[in-house]
Amino acid sequence: MLIHVKGLLPDEPLQRCRQLLSKARWAEGGHTAGTQSAKVKNNLQLPPDAAQLPELRSIVIEYLQKNALFFSASLPRRVFPPLFNRYDGEANYFGDHVDNAVRTVPGTAEHVRTDISCTLFLTGPQDYEGGELIIEDSFGPRSIKLPAGDAILYPASSVHRVQPVTRGSRTSCFFWIESMVREAEHRRILFDMDVAILNLRQSDGDSAPVVSLTSCYHNLLRLWALP
Ligand code: NI
């Protein structure tokens, strides 16, 4: 399931993120990659000790927590602390790879199972050429290039890549989500149900069948959510 979250970051926090990133010292992106993906990774990344990282992360987390679509689609249990990358000049692509299944939160013994990957675009598509996120889906490759402030949620199990940036610079935020509901099929059913219930509530109000369906949603979530 690919979910496009429009306007995850409104203009003001988006500008603040850009301002912080414009002052940052960037490092080679290879240090957070696994051994296979390190061979095809050629980008820049904000290093773990970057002074701007705490504020950047808190902005992104604040807006994630406010977003109903993000919550409904991912049912987050843990979110890996957001990272930031840049593609331009000689460091301009990331070839086909899969994201590591489990990641350790730096400086802790906490592990995050990566069920869902998220890319939050911080540069508008008019400001760079290339740089599409290509996700191999069961329907074939999907090419993603979104407005600044928009995010894409996609299965962390999928092979994906970032096409070479041939003009301008592409900056984005990326992270992983461990979901309360491990099975992607279960998350899909819950998400579809949630969307349908919201639509029904708008047309029918909180009628008895709507309340009954809402109860089914919560009972399924209770059945499938991990402790
Ligand atoms: Ni990746």
Side-chain angles (χ1 to χ4, degrees):
M1 177 165 78
L2 263 60
I3 299 287
H4 177 180
V5 184
K6 290 180 185 161
L8 179 72
L9 269 194
D11 197 49
E12 197 182 315
L14 175 64
Q15 296 311 331
R16 178 64 184 152
C17 286
R18 284 177 168 171
Q19 191 184 29
L20 287 165
L21 288 167
S22 71
K23 293 177 195 149
R25 178 180 55 83
W26 294 83
E28 268 182 38
H31 69 271
T32 57
T35 48
Q36 188 269 332
S37 56
K39 290 179 192 158
V40 291
K41 188 173 187 181
N42 179 34
N43 65 2
L44 296 172
Q45 203 162 299
L46 214 56
D49 61 349
Q52 297 83 1
L53 204 47
E55 185 178 346
L56 285 163
R57 283 178 167 164
S58 77
I59 292 171
V60 173
I61 294 290
E62 180 189 340
Y63 284 88
L64 284 181
Q65 285 172 342
K66 287 180 183 174
N67 195 284
L69 176 59
F70 171 77
F71 184 86
S72 173
S74 66
L75 297 166
R77 187 174 185 225
R78 293 196 186 94
V79 175
F80 191 87
L83 299 168
F84 295 81
N85 63 19
R86 198 179 101 187
Y87 294 82
D88 56 20
E90 296 296 305
N92 62 15
Y93 69 88
F94 194 167
D96 274 336
H97 68 281
V98 283
D99 296 341
N100 287 357
V102 176
R103 303 196 77 105
T104 306
V105 178
T108 74
E110 198 189 333
H111 305 295
V112 174
R113 187 188 61 234
T114 61
D115 295 320
I116 300 163
S117 297
C118 180
T119 296
L120 165 60
F121 289 74
L122 299 174
T123 311
Q126 68 283 358
D127 292 334
Y128 60 100
E129 211 73 58
E132 295 85 358
L133 170 64
I134 308 289
I135 302 166
E136 294 294 340
D137 186 78
S138 44
F139 297 107
R142 303 273 299 264
S143 176
I144 312 288
K145 189 170 181 173
L146 300 179
D150 285 17
I152 187 84
L153 298 172
Y154 60 100
S157 54
S158 55
V159 172
H160 55 276
R161 63 182 178 275
V162 175
Q163 298 286 73
V165 170
T166 55
R167 175 185 67 81
S169 180
R170 173 199 193 269
T171 305
S172 51
C173 170
F174 65 104
F175 52 91
W176 299 272
I177 300 118
E178 178 178 319
S179 179
M180 292 186 274
V181 175
R182 187 183 171 281
E183 299 289 334
E185 292 88 344
H186 292 173
R187 283 199 302 276
R188 174 87 207 214
I189 292 168
L190 288 167
F191 178 67
D192 288 346
M193 239 182 132
D194 194 29
V195 171
I197 290 168
L198 282 176
N199 288 333
L200 274 176
R201 285 183 75 184
Q202 286 192 340
S203 58
D204 293 25
D206 286 325
S207 65
V210 169
V211 173
S212 178
L213 269 179
T214 306
S215 163
C216 290
Y217 172 87
H218 284 283
N219 289 336
L220 280 175
L221 181 55
R222 194 171 285 114
L223 199 61
W224 290 336
L226 293 173

